[in-house]
């Protein structure tokens, strides 16, 4: 038997109903913040991610699904969507449209990482990018957007971690110091961190390997290397978050896993997700557009929420209104004439917004069993007698109560 590929999964009812509700909630929150949907291809030229995300990141060096197209070009299934959004921003000259561009997306991403709780090789993200403004006002806005989205999904106990990774000048001085410090401990580091200490020392701060932690804890803080402009930007972000009543913790080790970040980085953590408890991450990327070929600066900030992990948190929180809605009515016809009448009634009720399933004509006992298994609130029993007198048997499947109801009264009873 052929099964789903390792690291992928099927999303089945009723869980798919919760997915739909989360996505609808996200779209509504984005609307209230004036963000608009963008849909990018699920594969791009490999160079987009190599240049945008960074050659030395784990994503590019280890995790991407890359393949040769028939014309010899290299294509990659998107491992993240920020680079794709910025590519679209540049290609379609969105910089020519006045104002900040506020864009959001929902869809699948692909990374060949080790599957674990809440992590898959085909995974889904809900994300947004705000492009065209360098002000810390935008940083605070997008963090508030995430906080609002999580709250609207019933997640009220997440923790917000924030940091500044500075501008290229500040980070350059910090990276030089990190290389110097790590060189004296190189033999004590894990194999991955030994490589990163040479190629990209900021990534060592991301290490989750217990072997690295005693060394990471003693490394200098990037805050000691920030210039005045970076300090002012970060202080303003913190002030705006406080003004909005958004609690946060400053974590100087929070650098995130992508090379394009500048200034603000942030993560939202949630306890339902185990050791890998980040539910959302994001940050500012002022130079990304230029690195991808834009002649016009396009400072921006964005985030992505792991939708698979968000659903785990939602299912644990069990917020009101996120349970899949039950079927309103199961129509159980006992003759062919009853089936035709039931089908007409189903069409009328569906036009009024009710969910209705019509069974093929069958025996009474079997139809009641099907109605019970359907999870419907009510069953409508139609036989020759019901057709003759114009009143149907409406059975409440939760209480077992049954009453005779005329067709024109059905909608009122379903609403009761």
């Amino acid at each position: 038997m052929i099964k789903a590929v390792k690291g992928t999964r099927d999303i089945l009812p009723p869980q798919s109903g919760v997915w739909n509700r989360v996505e609808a909630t996200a779209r509504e929150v984005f609307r209230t913040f004036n963000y608009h949907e963008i849909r990018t291809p699920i594969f791009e030229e490999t160079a987009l991610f190599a240049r945008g995300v960074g050659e030395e990141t784990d994503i590019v060096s280890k995790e991407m699904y890359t393949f040769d197209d028939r014309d010899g070009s290299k294509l990659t299934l998107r491992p993240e969507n920020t680079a794709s959004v910025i590519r679209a921003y540049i290609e379609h000259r969105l910089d020519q449209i006045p104002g900040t561009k506020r864009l959001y997306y929902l869809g699948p991403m692909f990374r060949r990482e080790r599957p674990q709780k809440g992590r898959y090789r085909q995974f889904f993200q809900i994300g947004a990018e705000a492009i065209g403004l360098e002000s810390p006002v935008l940083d605070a806005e997008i963090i508030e957007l995430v906080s609002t989205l999580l709250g609207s999904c019933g997640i009220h106990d997440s923790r917000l971690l924030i940091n500044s990774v500075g501008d290229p000048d500040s980070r350059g001085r910090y990276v030089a110091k990190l290389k110097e410090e790590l060189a004296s401990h190189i033999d004590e580091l894990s194999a991955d961190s030994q490589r990163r200490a040479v190629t990209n020392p900021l990534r060592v701060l991301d290490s989750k390997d217990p072997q690295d932690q005693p060394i990471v804890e003693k490394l200098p803080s990037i805050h000691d290397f920030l210039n005045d402009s970076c300090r002012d930007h970060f202080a303003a972000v913190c002030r705006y978050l406080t003004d909005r009543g958004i609690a946060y913790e400053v974590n100087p080790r929070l650098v995130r896993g992508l090379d394009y970040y500048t200034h603000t980085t942030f993560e939202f953590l949630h306890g339902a997700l185990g050791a890998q408890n980040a539910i959302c991450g994001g940050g500012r990327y002022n130079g990304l557009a230029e690195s991808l070929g834009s002649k016009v600066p396009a400072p921006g900030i964005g985030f992505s929420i792991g939708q698979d992990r968000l659903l785990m948190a939602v299912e644990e929180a069990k917020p009101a209104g996120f349970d899949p809605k039950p079927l309103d009515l199961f129509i159980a016809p006992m003759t062919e004439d009853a089936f035709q009448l039931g089908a007409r009634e189903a069409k009328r009720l569906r036009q009024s917004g009710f969910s209705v399933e019509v069974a093929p004509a069958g025996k009474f006992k079997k139809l009641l069993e099907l109605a019970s298994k359907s999870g419907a609130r009510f069953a409508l029993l139609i036989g020759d007698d019901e057709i003759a007198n114009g009143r149907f048997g409406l059975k409440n499947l939760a209480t077992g109560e049954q009453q005779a109801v005329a067709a024109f009264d059905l909608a009122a009873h379903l609403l009761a």
Side-chain angles (χ1 to χ4, degrees):
M1 181 178 70
I2 299 174
K3 296 184 178 180
V5 175
K6 182 179 180 180
T8 68
R9 61 169 175 160
D10 301 304
I11 300 167
L12 307 175
Q15 190 183 46
S16 56
V18 184
W19 279 69
N20 290 336
R21 181 59 190 270
V22 166
E23 290 173 359
T25 299
R27 291 180 190 278
E28 177 58 19
V29 171
F30 285 129
R31 184 193 66 79
T32 63
F33 279 77
N34 197 32
Y35 281 67
H36 304 276
E37 185 173 10
I38 182 172
R39 302 190 185 194
T40 63
I42 64 168
F43 58 88
E44 301 265 10
E45 291 187 22
T46 300
L48 174 68
F49 302 113
R51 289 165 58 187
V53 177
E55 292 275 9
E56 296 300 331
T57 61
D58 283 354
I59 291 175
V60 172
S61 63
K62 296 181 179 181
E63 298 171 357
M64 295 200 312
Y65 283 96
T66 296
F67 58 95
D68 292 329
D69 202 359
R70 292 184 178 182
D71 62 1
S73 60
K74 284 196 174 297
L75 303 177
T76 295
L77 297 177
R78 62 186 185 193
E80 60 95 54
N81 211 29
T82 298
S84 295
V85 171
I86 296 299
R87 189 266 311 149
Y89 176 92
I90 297 168
E91 181 176 343
H92 300 287
R93 297 305 306 273
L94 299 187
D95 60 289
Q96 299 297 300
I97 302 172
T100 304
K101 265 54 80 192
R102 291 172 165 85
L103 305 170
Y104 77 85
Y105 57 85
L106 300 90
M109 312 293 157
F110 306 85
R111 296 181 195 174
R112 198 184 192 285
E113 56 184 350
R114 182 171 60 87
Q116 54 186 297
K117 184 178 181 182
R119 290 190 183 275
Y120 300 90
R121 290 175 176 174
Q122 177 179 307
F123 58 100
F124 293 80
Q125 286 187 344
I126 299 171
E129 316 293 341
I131 309 166
L133 186 65
E134 197 167 351
S135 169
V137 168
L138 202 57
D139 303 33
E141 175 190 285
I142 209 156
I143 292 173
E144 180 186 2
L145 192 163
V146 178
S147 179
T148 302
L149 198 162
L150 294 178
S152 297
C153 290
I155 310 301
H156 299 291
D157 54 352
S158 59
R159 293 169 53 215
L160 168 61
L161 306 182
I162 63 171
N163 189 31
S164 173
V165 294
D167 59 11
D169 171 63
S170 299
R171 196 165 55 256
R173 289 184 285 110
Y174 181 54
V175 167
K177 183 63 175 176
L178 279 184
K179 282 186 176 181
E180 179 185 325
E181 294 284 333
L182 291 170
S184 62
H185 297 282
I186 195 72
D187 294 334
E188 304 167 49
L189 294 168
S190 66
D192 275 346
S193 289
Q194 287 182 21
R195 174 179 55 83
R196 292 167 179 160
V198 176
T199 61
N200 199 337
L202 278 178
R203 298 284 77 77
V204 177
L205 300 180
D206 265 340
S207 174
K208 303 298 188 294
D209 194 314
Q211 180 179 339
D212 297 329
Q213 296 315 300
I215 299 166
V216 170
E217 289 172 4
K218 295 178 182 177
L219 291 173
S221 167
I222 193 170
H223 289 220
D224 296 331
F225 294 80
L226 298 179
N227 56 34
D228 290 343
S229 174
C230 293
R231 290 178 190 276
D232 290 346
H233 186 104
F234 189 59
V237 173
C238 293
R239 186 170 66 252
Y240 292 139
L241 292 177
T242 299
D243 289 345
R244 288 163 167 78
I246 299 173
Y248 61 86
E249 304 169 32
V250 177
N251 180 357
R253 308 296 185 202
L254 180 62
V255 295
R256 304 284 299 144
L258 308 176
D259 281 357
Y260 51 59
Y261 285 121
T262 58
H263 291 290
T264 307
T265 57
F266 63 91
E267 284 186 348
F268 282 81
L269 311 181
H270 189 264
L273 304 175
Q276 299 292 325
N277 60 351
I279 198 171
C280 167
R284 179 166 278 282
Y285 43 82
N286 288 352
L288 178 57
E290 293 92 317
S291 74
L292 296 178
S294 175
K295 295 180 172 57
V296 180
I301 183 168
F303 73 86
S304 64
I305 294 175
Q307 191 171 348
D308 306 82
R309 297 164 70 74
L310 175 61
L311 264 290
M312 290 171 56
V314 169
E315 288 169 347
E316 183 190 71
K318 296 181 173 61
F322 276 75
D323 291 331
K325 291 185 177 180
L327 179 67
D328 289 317
L329 183 66
F330 185 96
I331 297 181
M334 286 169 272
T335 66
E336 184 61 26
D337 287 344
F339 170 78
Q340 293 179 5
L341 177 59
R344 291 195 295 272
E345 288 302 316
K347 180 178 180 181
R348 184 175 64 83
L349 290 168
R350 288 168 182 153
Q351 290 172 341
S352 298
F354 295 102
S355 55
V356 184
E357 179 179 339
V358 186
K363 295 183 178 179
F364 177 76
K365 184 177 179 180
K366 181 65 173 178
L367 289 169
L368 272 186
E369 288 177 2
L370 290 174
S372 180
K373 291 177 180 178
S374 74
R377 296 165 52 228
F378 294 93
L380 188 68
L381 310 175
I382 310 177
D384 289 338
D385 290 345
E386 285 77 15
I387 295 175
N389 61 36
R391 295 177 71 81
F392 311 136
L394 184 66
K395 186 179 183 68
N396 185 317
L397 292 174
T399 66
E401 178 185 356
Q402 183 171 324
Q403 55 187 312
V405 177
F408 61 82
D409 276 342
L410 271 175
H413 282 81
L414 294 177
L415 287 172

